[in-house]
Amino acid sequence: MDIEEDIRSLQLDSAAEENNGVVNPGDARPEEVEVVDKMEEVKHKEVSAVEDAESQQETEGNNKRHLNVVFIGHVDAGKSTTGGQILFLSGQVDDRTIQKYEKEAKDKSRESWYMAYIMDTNEEERIKGKTVEVGRAHFETETTRFTILDAPGHKSYVPNMISGASQADIGVLVISARKGEFETGFEKGGQTREHVMLAKTLGVTKLLLVVNKMDDHTVNWSKERYDEIESKMTPFLKASGYNVKKDVQFLPISGLMGSNMKTRVDKSLCPWWNGPCLFEALDRIEITPRDPNGPFRMPIIDKFKDMGTVVMGKVESGSVREGDSLLVMPNKAQVKVLAIYCDDNRVRHAGPGENLRIRLSGIEEEDILSGFVLSSVAKPVAAVTEFIAQLQILELLDNAIFTAGYKAVLHIHAVVEECEIVELLHQIDLKTKKPMKKKVLFVKNGAIVVCRIQVNNSICIEKFADFAQLGRFTLRTEGKTVAVGKVTELPTVSSSA
């Protein structure tokens, strides 16, 4: 359609909307009505032709299910290298680019980092060899479209890792088999433990545990080393709440060489491995589907200006179409969906689980903060300043006790907000899982407690039972995760929104 017709059809749209889609003959002269009728007819023909073509394209593009995969693990375990290798093997990066990266890495005398450059695109990341931001990239296997989220493993970047994991459906925990590296990552203070805990809390239900660097000269594809790592990780994964038989799969790979990734590892290299390769394992993962007909919820993780206000996020529930009216909560700002982009392609509608960029009218970019939620008008998301939650205390900082008045930073979906524990309601008995009778004044590490939490600004959350993705959170103090929890009750009358 050319621009004039576009404008005309928009004018007609708005005219029709004002009258609830009915052109009242009494409001116009007969010849005007006739003209409008003809224009409507033309418009309908054109729009339906465009819609047919687009829906055909869409059905072709969207046959595959879509999953978000987050790569987590200790710094230097090889997350970015593995992610880069996946993109290379699935044809997302050509040989010339790889050669360019190889040369760049050589110039920095870091030969083995060239694969990581595919994921680590900014200069700071390349010089240090550490991922800082959450990198994003897409690849496809035969049945699934994947978005890779490459989360940073370094201690000071854990909040960035939280934003990556909160969008993920499945996690790939990369562990280095190199002598000494697994131990550093796994012992106290290493990131492997914290990442597993966070992944579980943030709703990464399925984990692929990838034992990387199997080609290293200290390992040489040794079955003993692989088994040792598996036996040390299993009890810890169970303690973090994973059902190891159902939800976790171990497999050996070499991210740098690409062994056991797209095709199974050569028997001459690794005679004892009979399991799947990484791509097969990713394809086989079963995820419980989200509800496309539920109330629309999309936590906003980022926003920018581009011919209007554009917000980014992952649809946690419901579906969205061009032209929909939605609310941005907690502002209660009414907005209209002008355009939807999924993986850089413009689409007419999108369902749950997709990462979208949505262009909105009716709101300015500066009025949106990350952590706001785009939600349906009929059933908006709750905006509260306090709520009741069940917390599990992981590890308090030295000598701290957890009591009313304890302050921490709350991370819930894309919200980062300072909070205070106002009241401890009761402690849960770890054996019976029932509340204890005794009044509780403080708790220590490992305890499970139900408490009332208050935040300064209104935040959008849901009860964990209704919307797991918007109801689970972590509490952090001074860069350490001290507790994980889930929202159990919201105030009946929403406090100031």
Side-chain angles (χ1 to χ4, degrees), residues 46 63 133 138 146 171 181 226 241 311 346 356 380 396 416 424 426 443 445 466 470:
E46 283 181 349
N63 277 348
E133 294 166 11
H138 312 283
F146 289 100
E181 281 192 4
Y226 176 79
V311 294
R346 184 165 175 173
L356 302 180
L396 297 167
V416 181
L424 302 187
H426 48 251
V443 289
N445 289 351
D466 303 341
L470 303 185

Side-chain angles (χ1 to χ4, degrees), residues 53 155 171 235 265 271 328 360 377 426 471 491:
K155 211 196 210 107
V265 61
V328 173
L360 302 171
V377 179
H426 48 251

Side-chain angles (χ1 to χ4, degrees), residues 321-333:
R321 292 181 163 275
E322 269 184 26
D324 277 1
S325 289
L326 297 171
L327 280 180
V328 173
M329 295 293 286
N331 299 14
K332 296 192 172 140

Side-chain angles (χ1 to χ4, degrees), residues 273-425:
W273 179 251
N274 298 314
C277 61
L278 183 61
F279 278 33
E280 288 175 316
L282 283 169
D283 256 349
R284 285 182 193 164
I285 286 181
E286 289 300 317
I287 293 284
T288 44
R290 290 179 169 84
D291 181 8
N293 302 319
F296 184 69
R297 298 283 184 272
M298 184 181 105
I300 295 168
I301 55 164
D302 205 356
K303 40 91 194 243
F304 53 90
K305 269 197 168 87
D306 174 18
M307 293 165 40
T309 304
V310 179
V311 294
M312 285 168 66
K314 173 180 162 199
V315 181
E316 294 296 1
S317 148
S319 306
V320 62
R321 292 181 163 275
E322 269 184 26
D324 277 1
S325 289
L326 297 171
L327 280 180
V328 173
M329 295 293 286
N331 299 14
K332 296 192 172 140
Q334 288 244 354
V335 294
K336 192 169 176 184
V337 175
L338 299 179
I340 306 167
Y341 296 90
C342 171
D343 293 355
D344 299 333
N345 304 321
R346 184 165 175 173
V347 292
R348 295 300 277 245
H349 58 83
E354 294 285 5
N355 302 317
L356 302 180
R357 296 200 315 275
I358 299 182
R359 182 173 293 128
L360 302 171
S361 66
I363 193 163
E364 286 303 316
E365 177 243 3
E366 50 268 22
D367 297 335
I368 300 174
L369 297 173
S370 69
F372 281 15
V373 175
L374 204 52
S375 86
S376 60
V377 179
K379 270 196 174 170
V381 61
V384 300
T385 51
E386 72 169 46
F387 57 94
I388 290 169
Q390 180 177 314
L391 275 183
Q392 172 156 17
I393 313 295
L394 301 176
E395 216 177 319
L396 297 167
L397 294 176
D398 317 328
N399 308 329
I401 55 168
F402 192 86
T403 161
Y406 188 92
K407 289 186 167 64
V409 179
L410 169 81
H411 289 259
I412 182 162
H413 61 88
V415 172
V416 181
E417 190 68 57
E418 287 191 3
C419 71
E420 182 178 341
I421 310 300
V422 193
E423 177 187 9
L424 302 187
L425 300 171

Side-chain angles (χ1 to χ4, degrees), residues 193-209:
R193 282 167 169 271
E194 187 174 12
H195 280 191
V196 171
M197 294 264 192
L198 286 172
K200 183 65 187 165
T201 335
L202 295 163
V204 179
T205 47
K206 305 279 183 184
L207 261 195
L208 276 184
L209 223 120

Side-chain angles (χ1 to χ4, degrees), residues 410-473:
L410 169 81
H411 289 259
I412 182 162
H413 61 88
V415 172
V416 181
E417 190 68 57
E418 287 191 3
C419 71
E420 182 178 341
I421 310 300
V422 193
E423 177 187 9
L424 302 187
L425 300 171
H426 48 251
Q427 195 168 345
I428 303 277
D429 188 317
L430 296 175
K431 290 197 180 81
T432 62
K433 301 274 187 269
K434 294 209 164 71
M436 294 182 186
K437 294 271 193 312
K438 195 174 79 188
K439 179 121 180 74
V440 58
L441 293 172
F442 68 90
V443 289
K444 294 186 176 160
N445 289 351
I448 296 181
V449 62
V450 174
C451 54
R452 208 149 54 85
I453 299 178
Q454 210 168 43
V455 288
N456 299 332
N457 300 314
S458 210
I459 58 170
C460 298
I461 56 175
E462 295 274 9
K463 285 198 320 210
F464 179 81
D466 303 341
F467 270 97
Q469 288 85 358
L470 303 185
R472 58 165 76 88
F473 61 90

